[in-house]
């Protein structure tokens, strides 16, 4: 996987910043879960109200953009477990959004927020969280999501000698024991789409899920396709990504405290990053290797 150098990160920041005024002049995209957008964003605002000076009152810490994520973080979303280096898809997206809002890389600070705490009700100690958090109507009752920055497909990981590698028809899939991290849409996918005959085992962290697969407590795990490919290729010896499942319209959004007006300007930033090709370039750079895989039916 090609890594982003500091110079490259700065170049993306300059590109994003130069396009920022144009992005703020456009209308925000309409919001529906099916199209990969949030359903709770405030109405669009004028270009002036998205200037760096105008959004200062909306920030968790004045003069700084506070971005949260979990610990540890994994490729291809982050590189070397360092969100601050601008490498990996989500780190690069965070810095590109920051540049659109008029922040230099040195004005971005990272905070720790466990995955299953991020969408809990209550005040937040960050401006937005970026941690492969899928939009759902249930989660959106407690927090606000941005428009999509990545459209998600779920995928299946198993040990190479497991029967599921070759026997994975919809009927076969129902016969295996699965495991996944508590509160994730991957666990929800197992229950709602695969509908196995045995209740999936639930674990606190993704590391716990991976350990369960290695020790054969479960036959397979489900996670987003890039993560599944990385787990099978680099983390669990003797494992394989069996295939990915068709899209259900799931997507990742940046997560905000409920009703945070900053989401409107962030949506404008994301719209610009889509229209100027930045998100496509980052997808090709960090995720292309991980997403060219066969698709099976759940």
């Amino acid at each position: 996987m090609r890594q982003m150098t500091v110079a490259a990160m700065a170049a993306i920041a300059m590109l994003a910043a130069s396009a920022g005024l144009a992005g703020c002049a456009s209308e925000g995209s309409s919001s529906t879960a099916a199209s990969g957008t949030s359903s709770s964003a405030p109405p669009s605002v004028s270009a002036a109200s998205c200037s760096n000076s105008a959004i200062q009152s909306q920030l968790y810490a004045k003069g700084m953009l506070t971005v949260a994520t979990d610990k540890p973080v994994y490729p291809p979303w982050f590189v070397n477990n360092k969100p601050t280096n601008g490498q990996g898809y989500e780190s690069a997206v965070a810095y590109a959004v920051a540049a659109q809002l008029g922040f230099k890389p040195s004005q971005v600070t990272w905070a720790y927020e466990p995955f299953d705490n991020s969408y809990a009700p209550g005040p937040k100690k960050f401006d937005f969280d970026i941690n492969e958090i899928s939009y759902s109507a249930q989660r959106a009752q407690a927090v606000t999501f941005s428009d999509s920055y990545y459209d998600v497909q779920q995928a299946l990981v198993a040990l190479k000698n497991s029967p599921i590698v070759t026997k994975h028809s919809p009927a076969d899939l129902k016969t295996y024991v699965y495991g996944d991290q508590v509160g994730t849409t991957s666990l929800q996918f197992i229950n709602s789409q695969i509908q196995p005959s045995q209740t999936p085992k639930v674990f606190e962290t993704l590391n716990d899920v991976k350990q369960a697969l290695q020790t054969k407590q479960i036959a397979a795990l489900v996670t987003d396709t890039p993560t599944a490919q990385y787990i099978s290729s680099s983390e669990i010896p003797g494992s394989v990504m069996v295939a990915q499942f068709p899209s259900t319209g799931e997507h990742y959004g940046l997560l905000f405290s409920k009703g945070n007006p900053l989401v409107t300007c962030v949506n404008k930033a994301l719209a610009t990053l889509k229209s100027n090709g930045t998100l496509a370039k980052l997808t090709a750079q960090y995720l292309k290797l991980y997403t060219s895989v066969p698709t099976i039916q759940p």
Side-chain angles (χ1 to χ4, degrees):
M1 175 170 57
R2 182 163 62 89
Q3 297 185 357
M4 183 183 292
T5 63
V6 173
M9 183 176 77
I12 283 183
M14 291 178 65
L15 171 66
S18 65
L21 291 178
C24 281
S26 64
E27 290 294 321
S29 58
S30 61
S31 301
T32 63
S35 64
T37 57
S38 71
S39 61
S40 55
S44 59
V45 294
S46 67
S49 62
C50 280
S51 68
N52 187 270
S53 59
I55 65 174
Q56 289 298 314
S57 63
Q58 302 169 13
L59 300 176
Y60 176 73
K62 188 175 181 179
M64 302 293 293
L65 184 68
T66 305
V67 183
T69 196
D70 209 341
K71 186 188 300 181
V73 287
Y74 304 98
W77 310 105
F78 298 88
V79 173
N80 294 330
N81 195 27
K82 292 182 178 179
T84 58
N85 63 15
Q87 300 173 16
Y89 184 77
E90 290 192 320
S91 179
V93 166
Y95 280 105
V97 168
Q100 287 289 313
L101 298 176
F103 294 96
K104 300 175 183 177
S106 61
Q107 294 175 301
V108 177
T109 184
W110 289 84
Y112 166 53
E113 182 75 5
F115 177 85
D116 54 352
N117 287 358
S118 62
Y119 49 83
K124 307 298 181 185
K125 296 181 178 180
F126 53 78
D127 294 312
F128 64 77
D129 191 316
I130 185 167
N131 187 25
E132 302 117 75
I133 307 170
S134 295
Y135 169 88
S136 73
Q138 181 179 4
R139 289 174 178 173
Q141 293 178 14
V143 295
T144 291
F145 284 88
S146 76
D147 294 343
S148 173
Y149 66 89
Y150 183 72
D151 297 333
V152 183
Q153 285 180 258
Q154 298 291 338
L156 191 66
V157 178
L159 299 179
K160 289 181 179 178
N161 58 0
S162 171
I164 199 172
V165 174
T166 55
K167 297 179 179 180
H168 45 252
S169 69
D172 289 330
L173 288 175
K174 296 182 185 299
T175 66
Y176 300 106
V177 177
Y178 300 89
D180 238 305
Q181 184 179 1
V182 62
T184 60
T185 51
S186 299
L187 179 60
Q188 182 182 359
F189 183 93
I190 294 171
N191 287 319
S192 64
Q193 302 296 316
I194 298 176
Q195 299 180 352
S197 57
Q198 300 182 62
T199 302
K201 296 184 178 181
V202 181
F203 301 89
E204 286 297 318
T205 69
L206 183 57
N207 277 341
D208 294 335
V209 181
K210 291 183 286 189
Q211 180 67 22
L213 181 62
Q214 288 179 286
T215 56
K216 300 182 179 180
Q217 298 176 54
I218 59 176
L221 63 85
V222 173
T223 188
D224 65 82
T225 298
T227 300
Q229 184 73 295
Y230 183 78
I231 287 172
S232 60
S233 65
S234 304
E235 291 193 322
I236 301 181
S239 68
V240 62
M241 184 172 70
V242 178
Q244 65 182 353
F245 296 103
S247 172
T248 61
E250 182 182 354
H251 60 277
Y252 292 153
L254 306 177
L255 182 150
F256 300 75
S257 60
K258 184 66 175 177
N260 187 341
L262 184 62
V263 69
T264 299
C265 292
V266 168
N267 280 340
K268 289 179 180 292
L270 288 172
T272 298
L273 295 173
K274 290 177 183 178
S275 64
N276 70 15
T278 298
L279 289 187
K281 290 177 183 177
L282 294 178
T283 298
Q285 179 177 357
Y286 290 111
L287 303 181
K288 185 176 181 179
L289 172 66
Y290 299 99
T291 54
S292 300
V293 294
T295 299
I296 60 173
Q297 296 296 322

